[in-house]
Amino acid sequence: MGWEALRQWGADVARIEPLSGGVANDVWSVRVRGYLAVGRLGTRGAADLAWETELLRHLDHKGLSVPTPIPTMDGRLFADGLLVMTYMEGGPPETAADWHRVADVLGKLHRATRGWPQRPGWRSSTDLLHAETGTKIDLTAMPPESVARCRAAWARLAGRRTCVVHGNPNNPGNIRLTAKQVALIDWDEAHVDAPDLDLALPHNAAGLNSEALDIAAQASAAWEAAVCWDDDYAIKRLAEVRAT
């Protein structure tokens, strides 16, 4: 159905302009019932979108600043691959103090989602010590030596208590800061994993000791290499993962 699905949010809806939202989705600013919002059209299935919308509503209830789903006229949180969410004001983090604020919010995210079920079809980094595929990751497409490097990095996370991780919080474009709030946007990569994957932040904003920072940085680089394989960014991130 494509963007025609937007009519299910009312007769007065309108697309305004495209927004950056990665290669997996078509993201636009939209006008819904007189308010500025964000529409994201993609190919994720109903179970995946149900997981994401339930998570966002839970985090909003816990007091985190996140885009929340705006229901269709008949009360559904998404329709035909389209998700419409509240628009979050603000700009990207720029200073060390800004990134410390981001780290504080990530801590709240991790504490609020302990025991959360895995996103349908996804695997955690430690699951991939034995599994070969999971949603965006296909380790069979990578050279065996590259897989060994990634798994060695993820093995250091074994035994960690899991929670929801945002998946890409060190990208400034996924943060909206104002004087009063820190909002996390773009939850397309969120899944259940070790919190370390979110903590290799600029300025070591999470305050990790040298060993913990190394574990987080290596595991995060390996994850992004596997998710993005084999574009230039994936190859760059893999180069940061130490050889076994």
PDB file of all heavy atoms in Angstrom, residues 124-146:
ATOM      1  N   SER A 124      20.992 -11.829  20.048  1.00  0.00           N
ATOM      2  CA  SER A 124      21.938 -10.988  20.779  1.00  0.00           C
ATOM      3  C   SER A 124      23.353 -11.309  20.322  1.00  0.00           C
ATOM      4  O   SER A 124      23.600 -12.303  19.632  1.00  0.00           O
ATOM      5  CB  SER A 124      21.813 -11.228  22.283  1.00  0.00           C
ATOM      6  OG  SER A 124      22.315 -12.518  22.609  1.00  0.00           O
ATOM      7  N   SER A 125      24.285 -10.476  20.729  1.00  0.00           N
ATOM      8  CA  SER A 125      25.685 -10.712  20.357  1.00  0.00           C
ATOM      9  C   SER A 125      26.173 -12.055  20.872  1.00  0.00           C
ATOM     10  O   SER A 125      26.874 -12.779  20.154  1.00  0.00           O
ATOM     11  CB  SER A 125      26.559  -9.578  20.902  1.00  0.00           C
ATOM     12  OG  SER A 125      26.346  -9.408  22.285  1.00  0.00           O
ATOM     13  N   THR A 126      25.792 -12.431  22.096  1.00  0.00           N
ATOM     14  CA  THR A 126      26.257 -13.718  22.617  1.00  0.00           C
ATOM     15  C   THR A 126      25.498 -14.893  22.001  1.00  0.00           C
ATOM     16  O   THR A 126      26.039 -15.998  21.915  1.00  0.00           O
ATOM     17  CB  THR A 126      26.166 -13.756  24.159  1.00  0.00           C
ATOM     18  OG1 THR A 126      24.852 -13.367  24.575  1.00  0.00           O
ATOM     19  CG2 THR A 126      27.196 -12.822  24.769  1.00  0.00           C
ATOM     20  N   ASP A 127      24.261 -14.672  21.535  1.00  0.00           N
ATOM     21  CA  ASP A 127      23.579 -15.720  20.757  1.00  0.00           C
ATOM     22  C   ASP A 127      24.393 -16.076  19.518  1.00  0.00           C
ATOM     23  O   ASP A 127      24.447 -17.239  19.099  1.00  0.00           O
ATOM     24  CB  ASP A 127      22.195 -15.250  20.290  1.00  0.00           C
ATOM     25  CG  ASP A 127      21.180 -15.153  21.404  1.00  0.00           C
ATOM     26  OD1 ASP A 127      21.352 -15.836  22.429  1.00  0.00           O
ATOM     27  OD2 ASP A 127      20.213 -14.382  21.242  1.00  0.00           O
ATOM     28  N   LEU A 128      25.028 -15.057  18.936  1.00  0.00           N
ATOM     29  CA  LEU A 128      25.767 -15.238  17.684  1.00  0.00           C
ATOM     30  C   LEU A 128      27.126 -15.900  17.888  1.00  0.00           C
ATOM     31  O   LEU A 128      27.846 -16.131  16.910  1.00  0.00           O
ATOM     32  CB  LEU A 128      25.927 -13.899  16.974  1.00  0.00           C
ATOM     33  CG  LEU A 128      24.615 -13.323  16.417  1.00  0.00           C
ATOM     34  CD1 LEU A 128      24.786 -11.876  16.014  1.00  0.00           C
ATOM     35  CD2 LEU A 128      24.118 -14.151  15.234  1.00  0.00           C
ATOM     36  N   LEU A 129      27.448 -16.238  19.115  1.00  0.00           N
ATOM     37  CA  LEU A 129      28.627 -17.076  19.334  1.00  0.00           C
ATOM     38  C   LEU A 129      28.398 -18.464  18.755  1.00  0.00           C
ATOM     39  O   LEU A 129      29.351 -19.185  18.434  1.00  0.00           O
ATOM     40  CB  LEU A 129      28.937 -17.182  20.834  1.00  0.00           C
ATOM     41  CG  LEU A 129      29.328 -15.882  21.536  1.00  0.00           C
ATOM     42  CD1 LEU A 129      29.529 -16.127  23.023  1.00  0.00           C
ATOM     43  CD2 LEU A 129      30.575 -15.268  20.904  1.00  0.00           C
ATOM     44  N   HIS A 130      27.123 -18.842  18.621  1.00  0.00           N
ATOM     45  CA  HIS A 130      26.774 -20.174  18.104  1.00  0.00           C
ATOM     46  C   HIS A 130      25.846 -20.095  16.893  1.00  0.00           C
ATOM     47  O   HIS A 130      25.960 -20.897  15.970  1.00  0.00           O
ATOM     48  CB  HIS A 130      26.130 -21.005  19.208  1.00  0.00           C
ATOM     49  CG  HIS A 130      26.943 -21.055  20.467  1.00  0.00           C
ATOM     50  ND1 HIS A 130      28.125 -21.756  20.553  1.00  0.00           N
ATOM     51  CD2 HIS A 130      26.776 -20.446  21.676  1.00  0.00           C
ATOM     52  CE1 HIS A 130      28.649 -21.600  21.759  1.00  0.00           C
ATOM     53  NE2 HIS A 130      27.847 -20.813  22.462  1.00  0.00           N
ATOM     54  N   ALA A 131      24.926 -19.135  16.879  1.00  0.00           N
ATOM     55  CA  ALA A 131      24.040 -18.958  15.726  1.00  0.00           C
ATOM     56  C   ALA A 131      24.776 -18.202  14.615  1.00  0.00           C
ATOM     57  O   ALA A 131      25.776 -17.523  14.870  1.00  0.00           O
ATOM     58  CB  ALA A 131      22.788 -18.196  16.149  1.00  0.00           C
ATOM     59  N   GLU A 132      24.270 -18.313  13.414  1.00  0.00           N
ATOM     60  CA  GLU A 132      24.919 -17.654  12.272  1.00  0.00           C
ATOM     61  C   GLU A 132      24.086 -16.541  11.651  1.00  0.00           C
ATOM     62  O   GLU A 132      24.618 -15.711  10.918  1.00  0.00           O
ATOM     63  CB  GLU A 132      25.265 -18.691  11.197  1.00  0.00           C
ATOM     64  CG  GLU A 132      26.330 -19.684  11.649  1.00  0.00           C
ATOM     65  CD  GLU A 132      26.785 -20.589  10.527  1.00  0.00           C
ATOM     66  OE1 GLU A 132      25.933 -20.936   9.679  1.00  0.00           O
ATOM     67  OE2 GLU A 132      27.978 -20.943  10.495  1.00  0.00           O
ATOM     68  N   THR A 133      22.790 -16.514  11.952  1.00  0.00           N
ATOM     69  CA  THR A 133      21.932 -15.494  11.357  1.00  0.00           C
ATOM     70  C   THR A 133      20.973 -14.942  12.399  1.00  0.00           C
ATOM     71  O   THR A 133      20.658 -15.589  13.389  1.00  0.00           O
ATOM     72  CB  THR A 133      21.114 -16.053  10.182  1.00  0.00           C
ATOM     73  OG1 THR A 133      20.290 -17.131  10.652  1.00  0.00           O
ATOM     74  CG2 THR A 133      22.016 -16.550   9.067  1.00  0.00           C
ATOM     75  N   GLY A 134      20.496 -13.734  12.136  1.00  0.00           N
ATOM     76  CA  GLY A 134      19.506 -13.094  12.981  1.00  0.00           C
ATOM     77  C   GLY A 134      19.141 -11.736  12.416  1.00  0.00           C
ATOM     78  O   GLY A 134      19.911 -10.789  12.520  1.00  0.00           O
ATOM     79  N   THR A 135      17.978 -11.637  11.798  1.00  0.00           N
ATOM     80  CA  THR A 135      17.471 -10.402  11.191  1.00  0.00           C
ATOM     81  C   THR A 135      18.499  -9.790  10.255  1.00  0.00           C
ATOM     82  O   THR A 135      18.709 -10.273   9.159  1.00  0.00           O
ATOM     83  CB  THR A 135      17.009  -9.407  12.266  1.00  0.00           C
ATOM     84  OG1 THR A 135      16.065 -10.061  13.120  1.00  0.00           O
ATOM     85  CG2 THR A 135      16.301  -8.217  11.634  1.00  0.00           C
ATOM     86  N   LYS A 136      19.204  -8.744  10.678  1.00  0.00           N
ATOM     87  CA  LYS A 136      20.114  -8.043   9.768  1.00  0.00           C
ATOM     88  C   LYS A 136      21.490  -8.692   9.669  1.00  0.00           C
ATOM     89  O   LYS A 136      22.321  -8.246   8.876  1.00  0.00           O
ATOM     90  CB  LYS A 136      20.274  -6.590  10.219  1.00  0.00           C
ATOM     91  CG  LYS A 136      19.042  -5.740   9.993  1.00  0.00           C
ATOM     92  CD  LYS A 136      19.376  -4.273  10.215  1.00  0.00           C
ATOM     93  CE  LYS A 136      18.228  -3.389   9.764  1.00  0.00           C
ATOM     94  NZ  LYS A 136      18.556  -1.961   9.861  1.00  0.00           N
ATOM     95  N   ILE A 137      21.765  -9.693  10.479  1.00  0.00           N
ATOM     96  CA  ILE A 137      23.101 -10.288  10.516  1.00  0.00           C
ATOM     97  C   ILE A 137      23.098 -11.659   9.843  1.00  0.00           C
ATOM     98  O   ILE A 137      22.243 -12.498  10.120  1.00  0.00           O
ATOM     99  CB  ILE A 137      23.618 -10.397  11.959  1.00  0.00           C
ATOM    100  CG1 ILE A 137      23.886  -8.992  12.510  1.00  0.00           C
ATOM    101  CG2 ILE A 137      24.874 -11.261  12.045  1.00  0.00           C
ATOM    102  CD1 ILE A 137      24.399  -8.974  13.937  1.00  0.00           C
ATOM    103  N   ASP A 138      24.083 -11.848   8.971  1.00  0.00           N
ATOM    104  CA  ASP A 138      24.302 -13.149   8.338  1.00  0.00           C
ATOM    105  C   ASP A 138      25.812 -13.406   8.360  1.00  0.00           C
ATOM    106  O   ASP A 138      26.542 -12.952   7.485  1.00  0.00           O
ATOM    107  CB  ASP A 138      23.760 -13.162   6.913  1.00  0.00           C
ATOM    108  CG  ASP A 138      23.957 -14.512   6.231  1.00  0.00           C
ATOM    109  OD1 ASP A 138      24.475 -15.449   6.894  1.00  0.00           O
ATOM    110  OD2 ASP A 138      23.598 -14.632   5.053  1.00  0.00           O
ATOM    111  N   LEU A 139      26.255 -14.132   9.369  1.00  0.00           N
ATOM    112  CA  LEU A 139      27.691 -14.368   9.517  1.00  0.00           C
ATOM    113  C   LEU A 139      28.248 -15.249   8.410  1.00  0.00           C
ATOM    114  O   LEU A 139      29.454 -15.228   8.157  1.00  0.00           O
ATOM    115  CB  LEU A 139      27.974 -14.991  10.882  1.00  0.00           C
ATOM    116  CG  LEU A 139      27.635 -14.133  12.107  1.00  0.00           C
ATOM    117  CD1 LEU A 139      28.008 -14.867  13.388  1.00  0.00           C
ATOM    118  CD2 LEU A 139      28.316 -12.772  12.047  1.00  0.00           C
ATOM    119  N   THR A 140      27.381 -15.994   7.724  1.00  0.00           N
ATOM    120  CA  THR A 140      27.882 -16.834   6.629  1.00  0.00           C
ATOM    121  C   THR A 140      28.354 -15.986   5.447  1.00  0.00           C
ATOM    122  O   THR A 140      29.077 -16.474   4.583  1.00  0.00           O
ATOM    123  CB  THR A 140      26.803 -17.817   6.143  1.00  0.00           C
ATOM    124  OG1 THR A 140      25.708 -17.088   5.562  1.00  0.00           O
ATOM    125  CG2 THR A 140      26.274 -18.665   7.304  1.00  0.00           C
ATOM    126  N   ALA A 141      27.939 -14.714   5.407  1.00  0.00           N
ATOM    127  CA  ALA A 141      28.360 -13.831   4.323  1.00  0.00           C
ATOM    128  C   ALA A 141      29.732 -13.208   4.582  1.00  0.00           C
ATOM    129  O   ALA A 141      30.319 -12.613   3.681  1.00  0.00           O
ATOM    130  CB  ALA A 141      27.331 -12.723   4.121  1.00  0.00           C
ATOM    131  N   MET A 142      30.235 -13.360   5.807  1.00  0.00           N
ATOM    132  CA  MET A 142      31.514 -12.761   6.172  1.00  0.00           C
ATOM    133  C   MET A 142      32.633 -13.789   6.055  1.00  0.00           C
ATOM    134  O   MET A 142      32.402 -14.996   6.239  1.00  0.00           O
ATOM    135  CB  MET A 142      31.464 -12.230   7.612  1.00  0.00           C
ATOM    136  CG  MET A 142      30.422 -11.156   7.845  1.00  0.00           C
ATOM    137  SD  MET A 142      30.370 -10.622   9.591  1.00  0.00           S
ATOM    138  CE  MET A 142      31.919  -9.713   9.712  1.00  0.00           C
ATOM    139  N   PRO A 143      33.863 -13.360   5.784  1.00  0.00           N
ATOM    140  CA  PRO A 143      34.993 -14.297   5.800  1.00  0.00           C
ATOM    141  C   PRO A 143      35.139 -14.944   7.179  1.00  0.00           C
ATOM    142  O   PRO A 143      34.906 -14.296   8.198  1.00  0.00           O
ATOM    143  CB  PRO A 143      36.196 -13.402   5.477  1.00  0.00           C
ATOM    144  CG  PRO A 143      35.620 -12.206   4.796  1.00  0.00           C
ATOM    145  CD  PRO A 143      34.272 -11.993   5.412  1.00  0.00           C
ATOM    146  N   PRO A 144      35.523 -16.221   7.233  1.00  0.00           N
ATOM    147  CA  PRO A 144      35.644 -16.914   8.518  1.00  0.00           C
ATOM    148  C   PRO A 144      36.536 -16.184   9.525  1.00  0.00           C
ATOM    149  O   PRO A 144      36.223 -16.155  10.724  1.00  0.00           O
ATOM    150  CB  PRO A 144      36.230 -18.278   8.131  1.00  0.00           C
ATOM    151  CG  PRO A 144      35.765 -18.483   6.724  1.00  0.00           C
ATOM    152  CD  PRO A 144      35.772 -17.128   6.089  1.00  0.00           C
ATOM    153  N   GLU A 145      37.632 -15.584   9.057  1.00  0.00           N
ATOM    154  CA  GLU A 145      38.522 -14.877   9.980  1.00  0.00           C
ATOM    155  C   GLU A 145      37.823 -13.668  10.576  1.00  0.00           C
ATOM    156  O   GLU A 145      38.019 -13.344  11.760  1.00  0.00           O
ATOM    157  CB  GLU A 145      39.800 -14.451   9.232  1.00  0.00           C
ATOM    158  CG  GLU A 145      40.872 -13.822  10.113  1.00  0.00           C
ATOM    159  CD  GLU A 145      40.716 -12.315  10.273  1.00  0.00           C
ATOM    160  OE1 GLU A 145      40.033 -11.697   9.426  1.00  0.00           O
ATOM    161  OE2 GLU A 145      41.253 -11.765  11.252  1.00  0.00           O
ATOM    162  N   SER A 146      36.976 -13.004   9.810  1.00  0.00           N
ATOM    163  CA  SER A 146      36.221 -11.849  10.306  1.00  0.00           C
ATOM    164  C   SER A 146      35.198 -12.286  11.342  1.00  0.00           C
ATOM    165  O   SER A 146      35.001 -11.615  12.372  1.00  0.00           O
ATOM    166  CB  SER A 146      35.529 -11.126   9.150  1.00  0.00           C
ATOM    167  OG  SER A 146      36.466 -10.659   8.205  1.00  0.00           O
TER     168      SER A 146
END
